[in-house]
Amino acid sequence: MKVVILCGGQGTRLREETEVKPKPMVEIGGMPILWHIMKTYAHYGFNEFVLCLGYKGNVIKKYFYNYEMLSNDFTIELGTNDIKTHPRHSEHGWKITLVDTGLKAMTGARLKRVEGFVDEDMFMLTYGDGVTDINIHKLLEYHKSHGKIGTVTGASPPSRYGELMIEKDHVLSFNEKPANQNNSINGGYFIFNKKFFNYLKCEDDCILEREPLEMLAKDKELKVYQHKGFWQCMDTYRDYSFLKELWEEEHAPWKVWKD
């Protein structure tokens, strides 16, 4: 089963980093957040990826083309072109298809344009800027159990604001940035049957989260897998700093792999 990752957005709310690179290439712990996402899937045995490129897509192409040299130590014997790598990461066997899906295309159009690279009955889809400790095997098991076209992961991230429980003008309790347990948001980490491509259009203005998913829900073909564990997108510089801090303190909940 292939994993499609949307990597084409311009990341305008993270301009401090995305002026020179696409958002999926912003580094956490010395590795792009895209790598962290791929490591999660690979941990569960899914290592065939289709990357939907757009804004500064050549940066991602060059990164993976030169991955062995960029990510590992190596010994080179000058004059012979003899190079021996000394791996620091175990990404052996990853198969990555990099597809230019257009500079201005929206998420639905990007997905539609890689349809030809998805030849199985089911595929996974996520965004190139969100990490989680979700169990992919359980997500897949849930998707297979209900028989519908699509499954979306519902996430309950912590609120950005402190929560006040009040009675008249008295504060009964104060909860600093509680997890939003009552309302779920779209956490990405989708699984779709291939029929979902019929809901998409190639035109640039096709937004995955608008008509395609709205129509899928209207047709009662979209189910939600509720994930109560860690989930965090990297939408702003504040998000980036938070993820970076978690990694540096070795408290990164999304690091489910061992190496």
Side-chain angles (χ1 to χ4, degrees):
M1 189 183 301
K2 289 186 174 64
V3 179
V4 180
I5 306 180
L6 297 165
C7 303
Q10 296 191 20
T12 54
R13 284 180 283 186
L14 196 59
R15 277 298 184 199
E16 298 89 342
E17 294 288 328
T18 57
E19 285 288 351
V20 296
K21 67 181 75 170
K23 185 161 65 166
M25 294 303 294
V26 175
E27 294 183 355
I28 303 294
M31 301 298 285
I33 191 170
L34 174 59
W35 176 87
H36 291 256
I37 296 166
M38 295 168 78
K39 287 288 283 187
T40 297
Y41 281 104
H43 173 73
Y44 291 99
F46 301 98
N47 58 5
E48 290 196 38
F49 303 96
V50 179
L51 307 185
C52 302
L53 309 182
Y55 174 72
K56 296 190 181 297
N58 283 342
V59 174
I60 300 177
K61 285 184 176 181
K62 291 176 182 178
Y63 177 77
F64 284 108
Y65 185 79
N66 297 296
Y67 184 81
E68 294 294 337
M69 298 299 107
L70 291 173
S71 300
N72 296 303
D73 301 322
F74 63 90
T75 301
I76 182 169
E77 184 176 344
L78 300 180
T80 66
N81 290 324
D82 184 17
I83 301 175
K84 179 181 179 181
T85 59
H86 310 286
R88 286 186 291 162
H89 302 286
S90 58
E91 286 77 56
H92 181 74
W94 285 18
K95 184 177 180 180
I96 308 168
T97 301
L98 300 103
V99 185
D100 184 353
T101 55
L103 180 61
K104 297 182 179 180
M106 304 304 289
T107 48
R110 294 193 189 283
L111 178 57
K112 181 66 173 178
R113 291 172 188 178
V114 301
E115 181 177 1
F117 296 97
V118 179
D119 46 15
E120 298 83 10
D121 290 335
M122 290 185 290
F123 67 96
M124 299 186 183
L125 172 72
T126 196
Y127 304 100
D129 63 354
V131 289
T132 179
D133 61 356
I134 191 171
N135 186 313
I136 301 296
H137 286 162
K138 291 184 178 180
L139 172 64
L140 179 57
E141 181 181 350
Y142 174 77
H143 177 76
K144 289 180 176 179
S145 72
H146 60 63
K148 301 297 183 180
I149 292 176
T151 297
V152 57
T153 295
S156 301
S159 170
R160 292 183 181 273
Y161 308 101
E163 180 181 73
L164 296 178
M165 296 297 294
I166 60 175
E167 182 178 282
K168 295 184 179 180
D169 58 351
H170 290 278
V171 176
L172 301 180
S173 66
F174 182 89
N175 191 0
E176 175 63 5
K177 300 179 181 178
N180 190 352
Q181 297 293 338
N182 296 321
N183 295 304
S184 294
I185 66 167
N186 168 20
Y189 290 84
F190 301 91
I191 300 181
F192 291 111
N193 291 30
K194 202 173 180 183
K195 293 178 182 178
F196 183 57
F197 283 111
N198 296 328
Y199 287 78
L200 303 169
K201 298 183 298 182
C202 278
E203 286 75 13
D204 276 356
D205 62 355
C206 179
I207 302 174
L208 172 71
E209 301 79 11
R210 298 280 177 84
E211 184 176 344
L213 287 180
E214 289 172 359
M215 290 302 299
L216 197 66
K218 184 177 180 181
D219 292 344
K220 299 188 184 303
E221 288 289 343
L222 182 63
K223 301 277 280 186
V224 61
Y225 178 82
Q226 294 284 3
H227 176 60
K228 298 300 183 182
F230 179 85
W231 178 92
Q232 179 66 52
C233 70
M234 190 179 65
D235 201 32
T236 65
Y237 193 82
R238 179 179 180 178
D239 298 331
Y240 161 69
S241 297
F242 174 63
L243 292 173
K244 184 180 177 182
E245 181 179 349
L246 287 176
W247 185 269
E248 290 173 350
E249 293 178 351
E250 299 185 354
H251 292 143
W254 70 91
K255 187 180 181 301
V256 293
W257 59 92
K258 300 301 180 183
D259 59 327

